[in-house]
Amino acid sequence: MSHLLTCQALGKSFGAQRLFENINLVIHNGDRIGLIGPNGSGKSTLLKILCDRIEPDEGKVVSRKHIKTAYLAQADVFLEQASVEENLAAALDSSGLDEVERYNRVQALLSRAEFPDTSVAVELLSGGWRKRLAICRSFVVHPDILVMDEPTNHLDIEGVIWLEKMLSGALPKSPDAFLMVSHDRRFLENSANRVIELSAVYPEGSLQVDGGYSRFLQDRADFLQQQQQLEDRLANKMRRESEWLSRGPKARATKARYRIDEAHKLQTHLSEVKNRNRATKQVRIDFDSTGRKTKKLFDAEGLSKSYDGKVLFSDLDIVLSPGTRLGLLGKNGCGKSTLMQIIAASTAADGFKPDSGVIRTAPDVRIVSFDQKRETINPALTLRRALAPDGDSIMFREQSLHVVSWAQRFLFRPDQLETPVGQLSGGEQARILIAELMRQPADILLLDEPTNDLDIPSLDVLEESLLGFPGALVLVTHDRFLLDSVCEQVIGFDGIGGVAFYADYEQWLADLGRLAAKKESAALSTESGTPEKEKQKKAGKLSYMDQREYDQIEGKIMEGEQEQERLQSLMDAPETVADPRQLESVWADLEQVKLQVEQLYERWDELEEKKNKA
């Protein structure tokens, strides 16, 4: 297997914080690597080192000659006033390609990107379409290694599935290897053939497993169990050695000096294993409920809402009771967040209202929301004030907790308390919002994309907490793993005003597929009823692939005819005529080339006729 890039004993620190050390990694041709690890373990930093954007403190990165690496960052930076197509073309400005090749590359990607309008300015795109454009921009340069930092962030479920198809080889020229940081467990299972976790829990700083995410979980559990067993064995052995060491000097003098040295080494080894086994801390997420037993917390009939003349949903009935766990599915902009806003404002006299429909809520029902835009966070506030607005302590479940203890529950260090919130990572900001939610007892919990930027250990704890929440839950997320685990039912939006209840997201996707097939069939039926002149005009327009073939076919014919002349001259040569075996071989090659040239001419005639009909 060909090596594309090798990392040797990489280490990196920021100030007094040690991110990782002694990281060894080899990227081979065909690798689809998922890189995971707790927030703060250095995943994004490692990606930047691999792409030569920052330097490691120790170690080095060695790549094969002429290897091209593309880097997809978490933050998307574009020419905001330029169009989608212009932004893709701009990525090739320094490529040295001629205009035709640049055009072909851009169009080939646009044909697979499914943008509704490639001429729209990027500043008008939603977060999901901006992320899709950033992904296309990474592909268009034809890298050998594509490095991606959280590529599924801001993508809806259909966008994530589209990305999975792109990574599975949907392009004529795909990268030789991928390396991606992701906390989307289903995406990792579907796309990765190798998983690497950075964590201080491992002796070498990382665990590397060949296989998908499910295989990684098995190997990780086995390793952690073995390491715990190792700690138990070392502890037992250390107890015996400690008893021996505690005996009087006279007794020890009769023992070999090497045993004393070995006992001290054993103590050091045991301390290292203990520290590793306790290195993985988890966020302690525990949503509080009011304990209300009311059968119906929220009851809505015939809800409808439109925006800018577009119907988002209509005639929707919803009942939320204690224990209800409902997921909302649909493309970005289809109305999921709008429905969440209507539910959240249902107890306010002047809140966000539907265009029509009746809403009834239980008396004094308490509704708590998580906002995916994080607009409730003031970036100028310190972490201390964000976690404890009214002093140095907070009330949680009728108990007073000091802000330091509360911060540590969410994996914040005491020395971070005076840090402005705007300087914290996306995952850290998400944990602040979750901390705020936990302090608010709720009957109905509304979570709009709570998984963005959370690491996998935090996602596991979030999942466990949601399963134990006794109130009603409404969840919007692109994390299919979380949807399958938590939600008992989903509402699917079709994007044109229709809504329906489904058992899970796969049933919704299958229904969308049937709807798309029905639309295509209706379009074909409509086309069959158009006047013959219009049909001929439409048929006469060359598709992108046909136009590309037409542009190249004349050159291929010329190459074929030149090869035909070369083989004919070789066949007439005296040395070929004198060798019956060589003569037969050249004759066979000549006949094959003649056939290919003939087929090229026939195809050229077909394309010419098709084009002239326009």
Side-chain angles (χ1 to χ4, degrees), residues 553 600-610 612:
I553 199 166
L600 285 170
Y601 270 115
E602 290 176 358
R603 179 59 177 158
W604 195 12
D605 289 339
E606 291 175 6
L607 294 173
E608 281 279 5
E609 183 179 359
K610 197 173 185 180
N612 290 335

Side-chain angles (χ1 to χ4, degrees), residues 203-272:
E204 300 299 323
S206 68
L207 177 66
Q208 305 188 24
V209 174
D210 290 332
Y213 182 67
S214 56
R215 173 62 183 274
F216 167 81
L217 288 178
Q218 294 174 1
D219 287 11
R220 183 181 190 273
D222 291 343
F223 173 85
L224 294 178
Q225 182 182 20
Q226 291 168 8
Q227 186 160 264
Q228 185 59 56
Q229 291 171 351
L230 173 61
E231 180 184 338
D232 295 340
R233 289 196 303 270
L234 292 174
N236 288 332
K237 187 176 180 180
M238 192 64 227
R239 276 193 293 270
R240 294 194 298 269
E241 294 302 303
S242 295
E243 290 175 4
W244 177 81
L245 285 171
S246 65
R247 294 173 189 169
K250 186 175 180 181
R252 286 206 309 271
T254 62
K255 304 296 182 180
R257 177 65 190 178
Y258 81 88
R259 185 172 176 183
I260 299 175
D261 294 338
E262 289 300 315
H264 290 302
K265 290 179 182 178
L266 177 62
Q267 179 64 58
T268 301
H269 189 192
L270 175 60
S271 297
E272 291 172 352

Side-chain angles (χ1 to χ4, degrees), residues 175-190:
D176 295 328
F178 300 105
L179 175 63
M180 48 207 172
V181 170
S182 179
H183 300 140
D184 188 321
R185 294 161 289 182
R186 185 59 55 81
F187 172 70
L188 286 169
E189 179 67 22
N190 293 344

Side-chain angles (χ1 to χ4, degrees), residues 242-455:
S242 295
E243 290 175 4
W244 177 81
L245 285 171
S246 65
R247 294 173 189 169
K250 186 175 180 181
R252 286 206 309 271
T254 62
K255 304 296 182 180
R257 177 65 190 178
Y258 81 88
R259 185 172 176 183
I260 299 175
D261 294 338
E262 289 300 315
H264 290 302
K265 290 179 182 178
L266 177 62
Q267 179 64 58
T268 301
H269 189 192
L270 175 60
S271 297
E272 291 172 352
V273 174
K274 278 185 175 181
N275 290 336
R276 288 202 299 270
N277 283 338
R278 290 151 183 75
T280 302
K281 297 180 180 178
Q282 289 187 328
V283 179
R284 288 180 286 167
I285 300 174
D286 189 7
F287 294 110
D288 195 8
S289 73
T290 64
R292 180 194 291 268
K293 303 298 182 184
T294 307
K295 187 174 182 180
K296 289 184 179 181
L297 301 170
F298 176 93
D299 183 8
E301 295 180 4
L303 294 184
S304 299
K305 188 67 180 179
S306 299
Y307 184 75
D308 281 349
K310 176 186 176 183
V311 178
L312 299 178
F313 51 85
S314 60
D315 199 27
L316 176 61
D317 300 339
I318 301 178
V319 175
L320 299 179
S321 304
T324 298
R325 294 198 291 270
L326 179 66
L328 303 184
L329 291 172
K331 293 182 178 180
N332 292 332
C334 71
K336 304 187 298 295
S337 296
T338 299
L339 178 57
M340 296 277 266
Q341 288 177 320
I342 290 173
I343 298 174
S346 58
T347 58
D350 57 349
F352 191 72
K353 301 296 182 184
D355 296 336
S356 60
V358 177
I359 296 176
R360 292 178 289 272
T361 61
D364 301 319
V365 68
R366 303 189 68 171
I367 302 174
V368 175
S369 301
F370 179 98
D371 178 18
Q372 65 162 316
K373 296 180 181 178
R374 301 174 185 169
E375 293 176 346
T376 58
I377 295 182
N378 182 351
L381 279 182
T382 63
L383 175 61
R384 180 188 297 274
R385 288 284 73 84
L387 292 175
D390 302 321
D392 283 340
S393 62
I394 60 100
M395 293 298 297
F396 178 61
R397 295 189 172 179
E398 300 180 355
Q399 291 184 349
S400 177
L401 294 177
H402 193 272
V403 66
V404 173
S405 300
W406 187 241
Q408 289 176 335
R409 184 183 184 114
F410 298 95
L411 304 187
F412 293 111
R413 305 185 309 276
D415 62 301
Q416 290 181 282
L417 288 175
E418 303 308 321
T419 303
V421 168
Q423 295 181 16
L424 298 176
S425 70
E428 289 169 327
Q429 292 183 14
R431 298 204 299 266
I432 292 172
L433 287 177
I434 291 174
E436 179 64 21
L437 288 187
M438 284 174 52
R439 295 200 302 115
Q440 305 175 52
D443 297 308
I444 300 174
L445 194 57
L446 307 177
L447 301 181
D448 194 354
E449 296 290 2
T451 64
N452 280 351
D453 300 313
L454 289 182
D455 57 21

